Amino acid sequence: MKILFIGSRLFDDAAWYAKKLGIETIVTESNNQAVNLDLADKVYIVPRGMDEPMDIAIKEEVDAVVPLIGIDPPLVDVGKMKDTLEKENGIPVIAAPYAAASLAANKYETKEMLLKNNINTPKFNHLDEPYDIEDLKEKLPLVLKTPEGQGGTGVKIALTKEDIVDFVSEKNNIFTEDFVEGMEVSIEVLRWKNETVSLVPVYKGDTTLEGTHPLSKIKQAPLNIDGINNEKHNKSIKTLAEELANLVGVEGTMDIDILHDSKSKNDFVIELNTRPSGTRYMTAAATDIYPICQLIDMACGNWSANKVKHSMKNYFATELPIGDFPSDKTIPKEKVFDGDTAYVVHGPKHYQRVTIRADSRKNLNNMTYNLVEDYAIKNNINFL
């Protein structure tokens, strides 16, 4: 079995599993100084874009292609490559097809699709020039967006008239979205050959008027909200995720961002992302299902939704941004959770995060304090 992986930044999430299965690995990467190149059996340094990886997949006669791309802009081209390689060369590409990728890449079209299918999303409105700044000022706080963007780029939470003026002077093709006060939630869903399974809803912190990036927040799973039936609520979110994946026809993995309104108690879908999720370590910690490893199983023809459902476990998990992991603690070599109480450290130096799991909230709390006591005390963290 031979698999081509596109992109090396996330390859350490896949290399250990591919090696375990005896798979020959080829990586294409545009940066010859990128991380994880030493983990592959063969490496090609290529220009940006999908033309070279597609040619290499054909030349190397690989059995499948697994794109490991964690940013949005290339995903539409990945979808085009998938459609071509699968139709003309019979090489499966474990990623979203062009139609699903292009829909997810356009945040405004995504919201129109949600509205058309009666799926809750915050109220939105496209802005036509000339902009009525005074009218917009009356609706503050207000979220300003452009159709493209990722990780907060192309998004502004406007609190003042000046915020509005600054955004519209720098951007075009703008739409507005109502600000929802509540919780930010992500859930990953896997889909292949018309089989679909959702994983675990992950709490990513509360919405803030400052627009704090999710990477700067503490994550927890499973989602736990005071005053509601959490088991029923999590099941509802998982069902919604599967319906959305089927609706757009995604393949591989999709990350769905949701806002839980603290006032109405309703869930609002914000966007879809046809790429590995930033919450994948939380997913693995809480369920023992490693999303990127699942992509390899799909490539091998050894994947089914029922198999995933029956393998899924239930742990308590948290993730903290710690900067640099304490030097007196051991960093696990592989990003694998070893046992019922375990942790993984990930991210570049000075921007590291630690993801921890345990079989109870009490044990999770104790493990967290034992690992990063100074950080926990400083941020007044208590998971009980």
Side-chain angles (χ1 to χ4, degrees):
M1 183 78 184
K2 186 191 297 186
I3 296 179
L4 171 66
F5 295 88
I6 301 177
S8 69
R9 188 173 68 85
L10 308 184
F11 184 58
D12 54 344
D13 286 355
W16 66 272
Y17 189 64
K19 184 177 181 179
K20 178 181 177 181
L21 297 180
I23 295 169
E24 181 180 349
T25 59
I26 302 171
V27 167
T28 62
E29 172 59 55
S30 60
N31 176 10
N32 61 7
Q33 300 298 315
V35 296
N36 303 322
L37 295 177
D38 59 319
L39 301 178
D41 294 314
K42 185 182 289 187
V43 173
Y44 286 89
I45 302 300
V46 299
R48 292 185 183 276
M50 295 300 125
D51 290 343
E52 287 281 347
M54 184 160 59
D55 289 344
I56 290 167
I58 296 168
K59 181 183 76 172
E60 288 279 357
E61 298 181 329
V62 300
D63 297 290
V65 176
V66 178
L68 296 178
I69 296 174
I71 56 176
D72 289 343
L75 297 177
V76 174
D77 287 338
V78 170
K80 291 178 181 178
M81 177 189 66
K82 172 187 173 71
D83 292 355
T84 300
L85 274 179
E86 292 186 345
K87 181 179 180 180
E88 298 182 4
N89 304 94
I91 300 174
V93 178
I94 318 304
Y98 173 75
S102 57
L103 172 67
N106 189 312
K107 309 309 180 188
Y108 187 79
E109 289 185 5
T110 297
K111 292 179 73 66
E112 287 189 316
M113 179 276 295
L114 295 170
L115 186 64
K116 179 181 178 181
N117 288 278
N118 298 313
I119 297 169
N120 282 344
T121 190
K123 292 181 181 178
F124 63 102
N125 182 53
H126 189 274
L127 296 185
D128 297 317
E129 297 188 65
Y131 303 123
D132 189 338
I133 304 297
E134 293 301 321
D135 179 63
L136 292 173
K137 187 180 73 170
E138 297 302 316
K139 302 173 183 177
L140 295 174
L142 189 65
V143 183
L144 302 171
K145 290 186 173 184
T146 58
E148 67 287 339
Q150 174 190 354
T153 62
V155 179
K156 174 71 175 180
I157 299 176
L159 306 179
T160 66
K161 178 180 177 179
E162 289 70 27
D163 288 339
I164 299 172
V165 172
D166 289 345
F167 192 88
V168 301
S169 65
E170 297 174 355
K171 309 288 185 182
N172 51 42
N173 198 13
I174 300 166
F175 67 98
T176 65
E177 182 180 275
D178 285 359
F179 176 78
V180 175
E181 185 177 354
M183 295 181 174
E184 298 181 35
V185 180
S186 277
I187 182 169
E188 292 181 79
V189 58
L190 305 170
R191 187 173 185 271
W192 187 245
K193 295 188 180 301
N194 296 317
E195 292 188 38
T196 310
V197 58
S198 54
L199 298 174
V200 61
V202 175
Y203 165 75
K204 298 198 300 182
D206 294 341
T207 57
T208 65
L209 293 175
E210 294 78 17
T212 306
H213 194 284
L215 287 177
S216 300
K217 298 180 180 180
I218 296 170
K219 300 180 177 69
Q220 295 187 58
L223 184 63
N224 185 28
I225 303 174
D226 289 339
I228 68 171
N229 183 325
N230 283 289
E231 182 177 350
K232 182 177 180 180
H233 185 228
N234 285 348
K235 185 176 180 180
S236 174
I237 291 177
K238 293 178 69 172
T239 300
L240 172 62
E242 292 177 7
E243 290 174 351
L244 278 169
N246 293 332
L247 181 63
V248 303
V250 76
E251 292 194 312
T253 183
M254 183 167 74
D255 171 65
I256 301 171
D257 288 340
I258 296 169
L259 291 179
H260 176 76
D261 191 326
S262 58
K263 296 178 181 177
S264 70
K265 306 301 181 185
N266 291 325
D267 295 319
F268 294 91
V269 177
I270 300 299
E271 60 183 54
L272 316 177
N273 301 291
T274 56
R275 53 174 165 76
S277 172
T279 62
R280 63 189 179 278
Y281 293 108
M282 284 293 292
T283 296
T287 67
D288 220 32
I289 302 297
Y290 296 78
I292 288 181
C293 296
Q294 294 295 310
L295 304 183
I296 295 175
D297 284 344
M298 293 173 188
C300 294
N302 184 32
W303 189 88
S304 75
N306 279 334
K307 182 180 177 181
V308 175
K309 290 176 183 177
H310 292 145
S311 300
M312 204 177 301
K313 298 180 182 178
N314 297 298
Y315 289 103
F316 297 92
T318 190
E319 185 174 296
L320 297 87
I322 55 171
D324 287 311
F325 195 66
S327 58
D328 61 331
K329 307 293 183 182
T330 301
I331 296 180
K333 291 183 179 180
E334 292 184 346
K335 294 177 180 177
V336 180
F337 294 92
D338 184 16
D340 290 341
T341 304
Y343 66 95
V344 164
V345 180
H346 51 98
K349 190 176 181 180
H350 305 316
Y351 297 95
Q352 289 179 324
R353 301 182 66 84
V354 59
T355 307
I356 307 165
R357 82 165 178 203
D359 52 6
S360 70
R361 290 191 182 277
K362 182 178 180 180
N363 288 341
L364 177 66
N365 202 38
N366 291 338
M367 179 78 160
T368 301
Y369 272 93
N370 288 337
L371 281 176
V372 285
E373 182 177 7
D374 289 343
Y375 185 93
I377 292 173
K378 179 180 177 182
N379 290 276
N380 194 30
I381 300 170
N382 193 316
F383 302 100
L384 295 181

